[in-house]
Amino acid sequence: MILTVTPNTALDITYRVRSLRPHTAHRVTEVTERPGGKGLNVARVLAALGHEVTVTGFTGGVTGRALRDQLADTPGVVDALIPVEGATRRTIAVVDTTTGDATQLNEPGPEITPAEWSAFQEAYEVLLRSASAVALCGSLPPGVPVGAYAGLIRAARAAAVPVLLDTSGEPLRRGIAARPDIVKPNADELAELTGSHEPSRATQDARRRGARAIVASLGPLGLLALTPEGRWHATPPAREHGNPTGAGDSAVAGLLSGLVEQLPWPDRLTRAVALSAATVQAPAAGEFDRAAYEKLLARVSVTAA
């Protein structure tokens, strides 16, 4: 079983409009809702790839109930979310169907009490006993200690469970020092962490801070990976236009599934880039176009960097 952790879950809502223009009213042509937050997006993709997945984190309120109801209809995903008093947030993606571009609006998460955080930690350590790998994903809601991911990484390492970290800011800075197996920042998160906007130098700096491997997302330029086995740059065949929500999460699913399947690093990166590009093409946030994914697998370029 692969475990994904999403402290700040969300109900992802996607609106599609013919043309998005500021200061005007818009007629929505289509609305979709999906259980969201980075780790839930990762879990959905992992399940579609045939892996058994358990999700944990926090949910609460009317939005949280809607999220759990929809999650129950997701094949291959087991719900181990922790209920809280506060309301789960919503994220809104407005997709311009003329250009394919998306505008994202993210609500803040609920306030987590010390008792709720303690309940989560206890549940997490139990789940680790049957996990083959764990992904720690996304922002921390109010009330969760900023060093939370570092503690969760240390617990995973003590249980001999490989761990991937995908977050930003101070949680990333503290988490990477706890020596996760893989860290997947995007270019902005990597620059904020290291102070360098040059990806090659920044990945080296980030790895020296404690991670076993750094896989940096460079947007349309693909992934740059620095690992104990070597350095690679994986690129898609062309720039994709569409809704980028969840594209990085699909890359995480590709990396994590490749780790569990013990694939060579170039194959992991090929899968991650193909899944990410196929997610941009999908009509709803946090899903991927399987036909596009199958075609892209043969067209992703991986070169030594």
Side-chain angles (χ1 to χ4, degrees), residues 120-271:
F120 168 80
Q121 289 178 291
E122 292 176 7
Y124 173 75
E125 295 197 5
V126 172
L127 289 167
L128 282 176
R129 297 172 190 168
S130 54
S132 57
V134 58
L136 306 176
C137 301
S139 60
L140 298 174
V144 173
V146 70
Y149 279 141
L152 299 180
I153 291 166
R154 286 191 289 268
R157 288 177 56 83
V161 177
V163 56
L164 182 152
L165 176 64
D166 183 14
T167 188
S168 60
E170 191 62 21
L172 171 59
R173 190 179 306 278
R174 297 197 187 193
I176 199 171
R179 304 182 62 81
D181 293 270
I182 304 172
V183 174
K184 196 216 72 66
N186 62 32
D188 290 340
E189 293 161 353
L190 187 63
E192 182 184 5
L193 175 69
T194 65
S196 173
H197 290 272
E198 200 289 303
S200 180
R201 179 180 302 171
T203 52
Q204 290 180 3
D205 186 355
R207 188 162 179 249
R208 283 195 293 267
R209 292 168 184 257
R212 180 172 172 81
I214 298 288
V215 182
S217 175
L218 306 180
L221 299 180
L223 298 174
L224 180 64
L226 179 59
T227 80
E229 289 76 32
R231 178 195 294 272
W232 291 275
H233 187 192
T235 55
R239 180 168 185 165
E240 303 293 340
H241 293 280
N243 183 1
T245 304
D249 306 328
S250 290
V252 168
L255 296 171
L256 205 59
S257 62
L259 183 155
V260 170
E261 296 171 29
Q262 300 183 330
L263 297 180
W265 267 103
D267 292 345
R268 300 186 201 182
L269 296 169
T270 295
R271 180 181 291 180

Side-chain angles (χ1 to χ4, degrees), residues 53-57 59 64 67-69 71-72 77-82:
V53 192
T54 296
V55 297
T56 191
T59 58
L67 183 153
R68 299 188 86 162
D69 287 345
L71 192 62
V77 177
V78 175
D79 177 353
L81 295 165
I82 304 299

Side-chain angles (χ1 to χ4, degrees), residues 11-15 31-35 66-67 70 90 284-285 287:
L11 187 65
D12 286 340
I13 302 170
T14 302
Y15 294 132
V31 182
T32 56
E33 288 186 355
R34 295 290 186 276
L67 183 153
Q70 294 190 31
R90 296 167 297 179
E287 297 187 352

